[in-house]
Amino acid sequence: MRKAMAEAEVGDDVFGDDPTVNRLQERVAQLLGKEAAIYVPSGSMANQTSIRSQTQPGDEIIAHADSHIYHYEAGAPAGLSGCSVRLLNGPRGTFDAAAVRAAMRPADSHFPQSALIVVENTHNRGGGTCWSVDEIARIRQVAEEFHVRMHLDGARLMNACVAKGHSPPQYTRYFDTVSICFSKGLGAPIGSAVAGSKETIRRVHRFRKMFGGGMRQAGIIAAAALYALDHNIDRLTEDHANAKRLAAAIANMPGVTIDPGAVETNIVYFDVNESTGTAKSVCDAAREHGVGILPTAPQRIRAVTHLDVSTDAIDRAVAALNHMLTSRAKS
Ligand SMILES: Cc1ncc(COP(=O)(O)O)c(C=O)c1O
């Protein structure tokens, strides 16, 4: 990947003449089955330019209560697009078409206007959950009935495709815009993309500029994304197997609660019992053993597998965690 970056042909992407960025954008549009795509610096910018391009201030977005756009993007739907978010609940980051229908606002000047449904696949806070294509198809029917658009936060879409054996268009055909991240499981250092119709991507281009995401000789980093698409999709199965291996081992450790059967992709959540300590104290201690895991709530921990974590490394992490948790259970 570093070699591909070093050898990348570049131009000025703000003027649309960086050949490597253009190649990446064409590649992503084709991969996701859309007319056009645009390279952006981050997954958050991919989501927020998609939101801004398809809403007006005062509109309402429908999304899961645990969604990334609501939780982890610094209030951007309100800050950058002037939109409120109607939060839905449902198992592990998913919701159904009936919940979407119930959330639709009547066409009445008292209410915000329902404008955009956001689905996150895989779902991060849900635990790397893969969505059902059938449920998405049912949600699309509701969206069309109410003339509401749909955005897919596909930061980890390739994980869902690999885990489910679906081609990307099997998921993306139901969405007006789709974001994907190159910088997560695909292993590039930076970058995301939005795909959609030519007209929508033209609007995203404008808001990318407004949000400060226009980049000049971006071919250097786009080359990393192209390399990731060429080499790092099929191998996601290894990350998924490692996540399942980790979860199965954690299930045998004292002082924690986990449902290993819930692990579908590369994200593992587990809860530490209060007698074990806080999630933060466990993560701090794990870091001293070289294990990087993240507290996401007072008792909840997230572990993510990726291309820099081998099966051997998982086994070392398991040994370290087991040692730590067993000594906490005894003290
Ligand atoms: C589901 C989801 N969407 C979007 C993002 C945002 O990506 P970035 O960190 O590149 O802004 C993340 C980051 O973890 C994510 O998990």
Side-chain angles (χ1 to χ4, degrees), residues 42-44 47 68 73 120 122 124 153 155-156 181 183-184 192:
S42 69
S44 300
N47 286 336
H68 197 278
E73 298 184 15
E120 186 178 315
T122 67
N124 180 349
D153 176 352
R156 297 182 186 79
C181 289
S183 59
K184 308 223 159 33
S192 290

Side-chain angles (χ1 to χ4, degrees), residues 241-260:
N242 279 336
K244 290 189 172 90
R245 185 181 183 95
L246 176 66
I250 290 174
N252 291 321
M253 295 180 195
V256 295
T257 310
I258 186 172
D259 174 6

